[in-house]
């Protein structure tokens, strides 16, 4: 039974400064829902309801978001805004969150290690706070099924363009059956020429507690940080690790371009926005093409 998910959300969000000076990047809205809420909902739909946020000093808005705001609820109730009230209420009753501070930002691996006292000696999920996965199948749920069968760690991977491998943890794998693979090796953000494949770690992990032992001895890696990818590589010395290849759409909201494309695609999913927004896009593209002589 997997009951706990660790959401590392302490990062500076430097790619979005100065917007992230006082505002966590995980709270950026995808129209009207903050990115982190998508990830919390994904965990809850998989039956994982203990959400452990590994947080930092400028991340208070995340705590407020999942807390009850009685003043706002009262205001919406009096104003008869029932739909909004229902929505706001639901968020605060979604989960009983646990917040733990990462006092120094020493990398994703370090953030996961900070959660050890709360996770304890049980397998757990790690879900990155800026990656939205949108598909018919809940990836975390599928990872739990694989864990229930094999009793070992599982990481979700997806195919990326060869040009993009240096932005991800990359794995080499051996196929077992359907979407299940055995991990043979992992490397964090390799150069294109050195990448063992184009299978990238997507930001969803199911890890056995042995990872903590490994994180404690993981040397500083890429970017001067303690990398989770490197710790999983060490875990391979003692345990097999499975990979599940996902076909779902992955939205990496952690970069300006990724965030922008996420917004556009989610706007096009919304019935109340789609037609007007599409007209706007068509119009702006055709004006742009005329101006630049591309039409
Ligand atoms: C992290 C991980 C990387 C993974 C990526 C997925 O990198 O270190 O292995 O592929 O998330 O988004 P980051 O994007 O935080 O630099």
């Amino acid at each position: 039974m997997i009951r706990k998910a660790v959401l590392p959300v302490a990062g500076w969000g430097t790619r979005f400064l100065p917007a992230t000076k006082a505002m966590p990047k995980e709270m950026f809205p995808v129209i009207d829902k903050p990115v982190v809420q998508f990830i919390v909902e994904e965990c809850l739909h998989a039956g994982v309801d203990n959400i452990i946020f590994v947080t930092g000093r400028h991340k208070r808005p995340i705590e407020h978001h999942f807390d009850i705001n009685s003043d706002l609820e009262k205001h919406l109730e009096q104003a008869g805004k029932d739909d909004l009230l229902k929505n706001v209420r639901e968020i605060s009753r979604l989960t009983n969150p646990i917040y733990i501070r990462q006092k120094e930002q020493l990398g994703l691996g370090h953030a996961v290690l900070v959660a050890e006292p709360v996770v304890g000696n049980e397998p757990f999920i790690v879900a990155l706070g800026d990656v939205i996965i949108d598909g018919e199948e809940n990836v975390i749920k599928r990872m739990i099924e694989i864990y229930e069968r094999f009793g070992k760690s599982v990481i979700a991977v997806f195919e990326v363009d060869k040009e993009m491998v240096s932005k991800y943890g990359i794995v080499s794998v051996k196929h077992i059956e359907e979407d299940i693979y055995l991990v043979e090796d992992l490397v964090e953000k390799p150069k294109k020429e050195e990448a063992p494949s184009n299978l990238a770690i997507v930001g969803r992990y199911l890890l056995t507690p042995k990872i903590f032992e490994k994180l404690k001895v993981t040397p500083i890696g890429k970017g001067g940080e303690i990398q989770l990818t490197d710790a999983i590589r060490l875990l391979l010395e003692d345990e097999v690790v499975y990979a599940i290849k996902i076909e779902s759409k992955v939205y990496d909201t952690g970069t300006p371009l990724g965030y922008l494309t996420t917004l556009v695609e989610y706007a096009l999913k919304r019935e109340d926005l789609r037609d007007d927004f599409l007209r706007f896009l068509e119009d702006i593209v055709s004006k742009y093409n005329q101006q630049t002589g591309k039409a």
Side-chain angles (χ1 to χ4, degrees):
M1 179 97 161
I2 309 284
R3 302 180 308 133
K4 296 175 181 168
V6 174
L7 268 64
V9 292
W12 286 113
T14 34
R15 291 182 190 119
F16 286 99
L17 278 170
T20 44
K21 198 178 160 208
M23 168 80 163
K25 65 174 176 178
E26 297 80 9
M27 285 302 294
F28 281 11
V30 177
I31 325 272
D32 50 14
K33 189 192 284 193
V35 173
V36 68
Q37 191 182 327
F38 284 86
I39 293 127
V40 168
E41 286 175 354
E42 185 190 336
C43 293
L44 295 173
H45 291 157
V48 179
D49 56 1
N50 286 287
I51 311 289
I52 304 159
F53 292 91
V54 180
T55 177
R57 65 176 66 237
H58 58 304
K59 301 288 179 156
R60 271 294 167 77
I62 299 176
E63 295 177 34
H64 295 320
H65 185 70
F66 293 104
D67 200 2
I68 293 176
N69 183 338
S70 334
D71 290 345
L72 175 63
E73 288 185 14
K74 211 180 294 161
H75 165 73
L76 292 172
E77 206 170 345
Q78 281 164 1
K81 298 192 168 157
D82 294 343
D83 284 355
L84 286 175
L85 178 65
K86 184 170 169 278
N87 202 327
V88 162
R89 274 214 174 117
E90 265 171 19
I91 298 160
S92 49
R93 280 122 181 119
L94 275 178
T95 169
N96 284 318
I98 301 158
Y99 298 95
I100 181 163
R101 283 271 179 114
Q102 185 185 13
K103 293 181 202 160
E104 295 174 284
Q105 295 195 13
L106 303 179
L108 176 60
H110 177 255
V112 173
L113 185 55
V114 164
E116 183 187 15
V118 190
V119 173
N121 192 28
E122 52 181 282
F124 63 104
I125 299 292
V126 174
L128 299 194
D130 49 17
V131 180
I132 298 175
I133 301 179
D134 187 23
E136 279 179 17
E137 196 170 46
N138 181 307
V139 172
I140 296 177
K141 198 161 160 224
R142 178 81 187 115
M143 291 166 82
I144 293 174
E145 282 166 14
I146 297 172
Y147 174 80
E148 279 166 354
R149 207 169 131 201
F150 299 104
K152 294 289 180 246
S153 300
V154 187
I155 56 180
V157 298
F158 72 130
E159 272 182 32
V160 295
D161 199 284
K162 264 274 173 201
E163 302 302 317
M164 300 292 283
V165 290
S166 62
K167 296 192 174 353
Y168 294 96
I170 300 293
V171 298
S172 59
V173 292
K174 196 170 121 204
H175 189 222
I176 301 191
E177 62 181 53
E178 294 170 70
D179 54 351
I180 310 176
Y181 296 74
L182 257 184
V183 173
E184 291 187 322
D185 204 0
L186 310 88
V187 44
E188 180 67 10
K189 305 198 173 86
K191 289 193 190 120
K192 188 178 149 194
E193 318 74 75
E194 286 159 16
S197 78
N198 67 336
L199 284 180
I201 301 173
V202 73
R204 299 294 183 271
Y205 311 76
L206 190 163
L207 298 167
T208 59
K210 199 169 191 91
I211 195 71
F212 294 125
E213 203 181 286
K214 302 299 175 186
L215 281 167
K216 284 173 196 157
V217 296
T218 301
I220 308 268
K222 264 272 149 59
E225 298 188 333
I226 298 170
Q227 296 292 349
L228 184 57
T229 305
D230 294 342
I232 299 172
R233 191 162 195 265
L234 293 181
L235 184 64
L236 279 180
E237 292 169 2
D238 295 1
E239 292 181 355
V240 292
V241 174
Y242 291 88
I244 161 194
K245 189 170 140 202
I246 65 164
E247 305 292 342
S248 313
K249 176 90 191 164
V250 176
Y251 296 99
D252 183 358
T253 67
T255 64
L257 184 62
Y259 178 57
L260 197 58
T261 51
T262 308
L263 283 181
V264 171
E265 292 213 26
Y266 271 85
L268 293 174
K269 286 176 204 274
R270 289 260 299 242
E271 272 182 33
D272 57 333
L273 297 173
R274 187 185 302 127
D275 294 348
D276 288 345
F277 187 54
L278 201 53
R279 254 194 302 280
F280 162 77
L281 288 178
E282 282 164 358
D283 194 37
I284 203 163
V285 168
S286 101
K287 274 188 192 141
Y288 180 84
N289 282 343
Q290 273 168 21
Q291 276 165 14
T292 55
K294 281 193 188 158

